[in-house]
Amino acid sequence: MRPFTNPCSLLILLGMSAIFSTANAAGAVRPVEGDAVTASGHPLANATLYFPPVRSRGVVETPPGEQNTVVTDTRGHFVWAAPPASVSALAGDPPRCVALAADRSSADFTPWPDLGQTAPDPLITLMDHETAPCETKWTDGSLAVTVPDVGVVSMMLCGPDGDPIAGRDVQIASYEPDTTAVVVYTLRPDSQGRIHTRWFTGRRRVFIFAAGLGFGSTGVFQVLPDKSIAAPIPAFVPFAEISGSVPLKLQKPGAMVHIHGSSNSATSWRAASAPVRGDGSFVIHDVIPEMQVLQLLGGQGDAQLASVWLRPGERKHVVFRAAPTPSVPPAQLPAPRKPKTMLSGVVTNAQGAPVAGADVYVIYDHWYMFPQRQSVVRVQTDAQGHYVSVSPGSDSIAGRPAHVY
């Protein structure tokens, strides 16, 4: 059996901290034995079973660890060393269980995103797409687990030259729309380039990648219960390659060039990075030929994103450029206030002599597209008969004098 790749990461990632367990008075672990069969009654060999956590009022009672998972043997039998929790947890209702269909004798698997990138929502999606809930019950002290039906899918893999891909690992990710999380399986084709994968029944489409060679994908196929089908896949498409340079003013020890992932969850996990060498150069291998966007991370100052369109097998060179210095907008001056209407004049008598202390009444019409209202302003003349009247209207409503008395 091939070694399991980082078993704890998927357990913690899926939020399966600890589980139903049995302990005697001294607190020792009591193994729980059981058998896993499919809904059709066939033993499920080399399958992975997970047990969700024991919770009490929303609090996980058992600690996280590898005891959350078991792998069945070739007869579907398993022995679960349940972590110490409470005797009553297993004495009553059987524990809940979910299963991963992959055959652990031939496939390793790892989740994506990893623990440092994961958010809760993708975890739920990952559980929904890659695992299936099981029925559990106690039978004469043994835990009976019934897993949904599974089927086997075989694929013949050929490189871009048409020759079978043999003697090297390939990675498989199942395409699921509207999800940002996947489980990546690693398998090694046989001498004829054939791989065999086990899935739960239903519709599937997978992407397959061979490092240093290329990638391919199947069409949509139907996994049938207890049957083996062949899913045709064309010869692989060769990867592209991106090389480039970073100008001296942007270089900094530890700087990396990163490719943004695709919106497709089945390919975004392959978003690659490359270190910037001392001379400012970098090379990214095994790039999926499509529009790619590159970002300089950890450099000196800000750099513009670099985009490049790649065809299969193509090699392209890009040069990063410093981001333009943002122009500093001029200080925002307050908008000039609209001057209010002002009226001034001199009051004289019939002989033309100035009249001091006379009352002057100015009637203003206030307009905004059309007459709005009127207002009356009273002012007095000074010693020389002068007066000044200012409209009481707001800045947005212009006032104009209509009558003076």
Side-chain angles (χ1 to χ4, degrees), residues 59 79 82-83 100 111 149 157 196 198 200 226 231 234 254 278 281-282 291 307 328 349 369 396 405:
V59 178
V79 178
L100 192 68
D149 282 329
L157 309 183
H196 304 275
R198 188 171 66 190
F200 292 116
D226 301 321
S281 65
F282 64 88
M291 175 62 74
S307 60
V328 179
N349 58 20
M369 304 293 291
S396 60
Y405 297 93

Side-chain angles (χ1 to χ4, degrees), residues 242-257:
I242 301 176
S243 62
S245 59
V246 177
L248 182 61
K249 63 180 179 180
L250 294 175
Q251 294 178 28
K252 188 178 180 180
M256 301 283 292
V257 175

Side-chain angles (χ1 to χ4, degrees), residues 279-343:
D279 60 358
S281 65
F282 64 88
V283 179
I284 304 178
H285 304 283
D286 293 353
V287 180
I288 295 176
E290 59 181 356
M291 175 62 74
Q292 299 286 7
V293 179
L294 284 72
Q295 182 180 16
L296 178 64
L297 301 176
Q300 182 73 36
D302 294 328
Q304 292 180 327
L305 297 177
S307 60
V308 57
W309 176 259
L310 297 163
R311 295 181 176 84
E314 189 174 26
R315 298 180 178 180
K316 280 196 174 179
H317 188 87
V318 299
V319 178
F320 276 94
R321 303 185 185 281
T325 303
S327 58
V328 179
Q332 295 294 326
L333 299 178
R337 299 172 65 88
K338 294 182 180 179
K340 296 182 179 181
T341 302
M342 184 187 316
L343 180 67

Side-chain angles (χ1 to χ4, degrees), residues 158-161 163-166 168 170 209-215 236-240 286:
C158 295
D161 56 3
D163 292 337
I165 299 176
R168 66 164 70 202
V170 297
F209 304 87
L213 190 62
F215 69 100
F236 276 23
V237 176
F239 286 123
D286 293 353

Side-chain angles (χ1 to χ4, degrees), residues 18-31 54 60-64 67-68 80-90:
I19 34 186
F20 292 89
S21 62
T22 307
N24 57 25
V29 173
R30 179 168 66 85
V54 174
V60 177
E61 294 179 342
T62 48
Q67 63 266 49
N68 301 336
W80 172 29
S86 65
V87 176
S88 59
L90 287 176

